[in-house]
Amino acid sequence: MHPHPSRRSALRAGGALAAGTVLPVAASDVADAQIRRSDPAAAARAAWSRLPDILDRIRPPRFPDRWFDITQYGAVGDGTTKNTAAIRAAITACHRAGGGHVLVPAGRFVTGAIHLRGGVDLHVSEGGILAFSPDPADYLPAVLTRWEGTECWNYSPFVYAHNQRGVAVTGEGILDGQARRGPWESWYRTGTLQGPDQRLLRKMGSEGVPVKDRLFGAGHYLRPKMVQFNRCRDVLISDLTIVDPPMWTVHPVLCTNVTVRNITVESLLHNTDGVDPEASRLVHITGCRFNTNDDCVAVKAGRDEDGHRVGVPSEDIVVQDCDFSGRWGGITVGSEMSGGVRRVFAEDCRINPPDFPGHYPVKYPVYLKASKKRGGFVDGVYVRRFSGQAVEREVLFVNMDYNGGEGGTHPVSVRDIHLSHCRIDGARAVLRLVGLETDRLRGVHLAHCDFTGVRGPDAVAFTEGLTRRRVTVNGVEVS
């Protein structure tokens, strides 16, 4: 198939951001490195002292008090009528008027792909449901996307914006991916459908095939994301309940200034992460609840050679006051992190909370995944005041040999992981740290933590600079 005619202009629009910028090393960064080596507690305090300034720079977009009700453009909320054209018309009118709110009122509105434009808030009111069509044809023509960290042209995400400024999806209504009604899970499960396309795309990325020639979509089996903002600025996702996505749920990629607040994610099919900020900066995820069949929040930055080509890190990511009930990690970094990750902050989150029982228990409240196939770096993950229970495996798992069978020769660096004031009851162990003989894990620091119901010992390999200060395990202080 042939992609959308605007493919070339879309690639040009994102080129400047994708190219990345090399910044000089500031004197303050050199000083920070010296503090990290000599005094981990001071380094953590210095990092956390930056948080107010980071949050002050993350400002949700505002929209004019203009409202465009989709029913005025022909939409019918009967659960049967397909309303893609009506919703698109309302979005176009709102954008041309200078911005505002596109209203989805009470009712069940079936739709295909929704493409947002600058200045538009798609507002799904209480009692309103956007039910996404199970027909893959409703997500064509293909759009520029990033699929598991590699750029390509593929089925449109269900809600998509590309190179827009000031876009939002808000309201107390529901986005229903209806993934169980579509073919998406069968593409993943059989191994004979998605697998060949997945391997082909990774090969294209590793071999440097031009993005314009990485054509998927019709006749292929790469599942679309639920909500993706691609190369956007000033993004807001607020108050919604999002259920049954076909793959990753909320995916800001190559974005700046993103707020995700007070959403609930129910995603129980395979490979359905909650929120995946990728190669993005100034991202605030707060007050959210995750019941997922994969990672809850997963910070990413591109995969393998294609991630290095784009070369944009994720940085200044803040996660606060969230409930984590997910099959793998609570706060996760990787495994697609080839562009690098720096300054991830997570605080006041609850693991497997009894008042929000998830379908799966969290395996790792804090989970970092890297490898020499990916390369790249993780520099600074700061976690404090996590509480919870019934962790299936380790509280902190750092694995620098993720998918070790893939091989690879890229240098990889993971350093400065801080956990403080955490209280977890029930885990297989507290730490599982897997560095590499050639690329050591450097600087893992625990302070003022209390772990109870721990069933086994830590496992630590090729790790330098591990410190524990005022840490108790099953009532015994560990130094």
Side-chain angles (χ1 to χ4, degrees), residues 88-339:
R88 185 167 299 170
I91 289 171
T92 299
C94 180
H95 172 74
R96 289 177 176 172
H101 309 270
V102 170
L103 175 65
V104 179
R108 187 175 183 88
F109 295 88
V110 177
T111 182
I114 295 174
H115 290 184
L116 294 179
R117 302 181 69 180
V120 174
D121 164 34
L122 178 64
H123 185 86
V124 187
S125 63
E126 186 175 6
I129 302 171
L130 283 174
F132 290 90
S133 166
D135 184 355
D138 287 324
Y139 304 96
L140 296 172
V143 300
L144 177 65
T145 186
R146 210 177 198 186
W147 199 91
E148 287 192 341
T150 304
E151 290 195 309
C152 67
W153 288 80
N154 191 38
Y155 289 105
S156 172
F158 290 3
V159 178
Y160 177 75
H162 178 267
N163 201 32
Q164 302 296 315
R165 183 163 192 169
V167 284
V169 189
T170 68
E172 296 182 352
I174 297 173
L175 303 184
D176 185 355
Q178 299 198 115
R180 289 180 181 83
R181 295 189 56 203
W184 319 112
E185 185 77 343
S186 70
W187 292 5
Y188 178 91
R189 278 185 176 276
T190 63
T192 61
L193 294 174
Q194 178 177 284
D197 282 330
Q198 183 182 51
R199 291 188 291 274
L200 174 60
L201 176 58
R202 291 177 182 174
K203 184 173 184 287
M204 288 177 164
S206 294
E207 295 180 351
V209 173
V211 175
K212 65 182 179 63
D213 296 325
R214 303 176 194 174
L215 307 180
F216 293 85
H220 295 273
Y221 302 97
L222 299 181
R223 293 161 299 141
K225 312 296 171 58
M226 182 79 174
V227 179
Q228 184 185 86
F229 296 91
N230 192 315
R231 293 170 166 82
C232 293
R233 293 183 62 91
D234 309 336
V235 174
L236 172 65
I237 306 157
S238 178
D239 301 313
L240 298 157
T241 296
I242 307 177
V243 301
D244 208 14
M247 197 179 164
W248 298 354
T249 308
V250 175
H251 184 210
V253 55
L254 293 160
C255 289
T256 300
N257 188 28
V258 177
T259 300
V260 182
R261 69 186 182 203
N262 302 331
I263 69 168
T264 298
V265 173
E266 300 274 353
S267 58
L268 300 183
L269 299 187
H270 283 80
N271 199 207
T272 50
D273 295 355
V275 178
D276 296 75
E278 180 170 7
S280 294
R281 60 188 298 268
L282 296 172
V283 178
H284 189 200
I285 302 166
T286 182
C288 299
R289 307 200 306 169
F290 298 99
N291 178 16
T292 69
N293 193 358
D294 212 309
D295 298 322
C296 296
V297 174
V299 182
K300 299 179 180 291
R303 184 186 186 100
D304 304 342
E305 288 79 7
D306 201 60
H308 291 286
R309 175 189 64 83
V310 175
V312 176
S314 278
E315 56 189 10
D316 296 328
I317 312 295
V318 182
V319 182
Q320 296 176 311
D321 190 28
C322 291
D323 290 335
F324 293 146
S325 294
R327 188 170 191 169
W328 289 96
I331 177 72
T332 298
V333 177
S335 67
E336 299 87 354
M337 39 65 70
S338 301

Side-chain angles (χ1 to χ4, degrees), residues 48-115:
W48 282 108
S49 72
R50 296 180 177 180
L51 184 59
D53 177 64
I54 293 170
L55 290 174
D56 188 57
R57 295 160 62 197
I58 303 173
R59 301 190 176 186
R62 296 184 178 183
F63 301 90
D65 189 21
R66 287 189 284 262
W67 292 84
F68 299 79
D69 188 325
I70 63 172
T71 62
Q72 299 301 308
Y73 295 83
V76 179
D78 59 3
T80 303
T81 303
K82 199 169 289 186
N83 297 289
T84 311
I87 295 171
R88 185 167 299 170
I91 289 171
T92 299
C94 180
H95 172 74
R96 289 177 176 172
H101 309 270
V102 170
L103 175 65
V104 179
R108 187 175 183 88
F109 295 88
V110 177
T111 182
I114 295 174
H115 290 184

